[in-house]
């Protein structure tokens, strides 16, 4: 396990009620209702929140890789993250797909940037070896 030498930021939330509750950040910028996946009730779910955080972080990591290679990224770069909640033998698990769009970039260069981003992104590091992850360039 890697120990952080210097903390750059700490995200803080207060959550009540679990999947049927609410979450609010300490600065008030995040203030959401929570609901179970597939529910018709108002609110988002933890899998959607995880997908949003991971995809945003992953775009930042692609930017770092592009800077290293002196590549200008397309303005319409996007990542569609899909996080599945499922069961195996009665136990709950996650798996994920990151579908990356890098329009106008050579396929080999795009693959290089995505692979490097996957090594850099803290979300990717946190999931490595813990859940199945597919990286797709679409």
């Amino acid at each position: 396990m890697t120990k952080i030498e210097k903390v750059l930021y700490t995200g803080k939330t207060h959550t009540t009620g679990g999947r049927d509750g609410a979450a609010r950040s300490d600065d008030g910028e995040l203030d959401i209702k929570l609901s179970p996946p597939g529910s018709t009730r108002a609110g988002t779910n933890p899998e959607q929140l995880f997908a949003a955080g991971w995809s945003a972080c992953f775009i930042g990591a692609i930017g770092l890789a592009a800077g290293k290679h002196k590549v200008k990224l397309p303005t319409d770069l996007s990542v569609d993250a899909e996080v599945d909640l499922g069961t195996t033998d009665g136990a709950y698990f996650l798996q994920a797909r990151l579908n990356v769009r890098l329009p106008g970039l050579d396929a080999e260069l795009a693959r290089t940037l995505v692979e490097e981003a996957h090594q850099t992104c803290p979300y990717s590091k946190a999931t490595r070896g813990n859940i199945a992850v597919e990286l797709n360039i679409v």
Side-chain angles (χ1 to χ4, degrees):
M1 179 180 341
T2 302
K3 183 172 169 51
I4 292 177
E5 293 176 6
K6 179 182 177 185
V7 173
L8 301 175
Y9 176 77
T10 301
K12 297 178 183 180
T13 61
H14 178 75
T15 303
T16 57
R19 289 180 179 271
D20 288 308
R24 180 177 169 87
S25 61
D26 65 333
D27 63 5
E29 290 298 317
L30 177 72
D31 190 0
I32 57 170
K33 291 180 182 180
L34 299 169
S35 63
S39 169
T40 58
R41 293 189 296 260
T44 189
N45 59 65
E47 291 72 28
Q48 291 169 324
L49 293 169
F50 186 65
W54 194 353
S55 57
C57 183
F58 202 81
I59 288 172
I62 291 171
L64 291 174
K68 178 179 153 191
H69 290 273
K70 298 181 180 8
V71 172
K72 183 175 178 0
L73 290 174
T75 57
D76 52 350
L77 153 68
S78 65
V79 174
D80 293 328
E82 300 173 356
V83 175
D84 301 325
L85 170 65
T87 60
T88 298
D89 296 327
Y92 291 98
F93 293 94
L94 298 175
Q95 65 184 20
R97 288 164 306 287
L98 299 180
N99 302 307
V100 182
R101 285 183 182 79
L102 289 160
L105 287 189
D106 169 77
E108 187 176 324
L109 175 58
R111 173 58 57 192
T112 297
L113 296 179
V114 167
E115 292 292 340
E116 288 184 17
H118 193 50
Q119 296 305 310
T120 303
C121 174
Y123 281 74
S124 293
K125 289 178 182 181
T127 59
R128 188 167 293 115
N130 296 309
I131 69 171
V133 177
E134 289 179 28
L135 300 174
N136 303 307
I137 299 172
V138 296

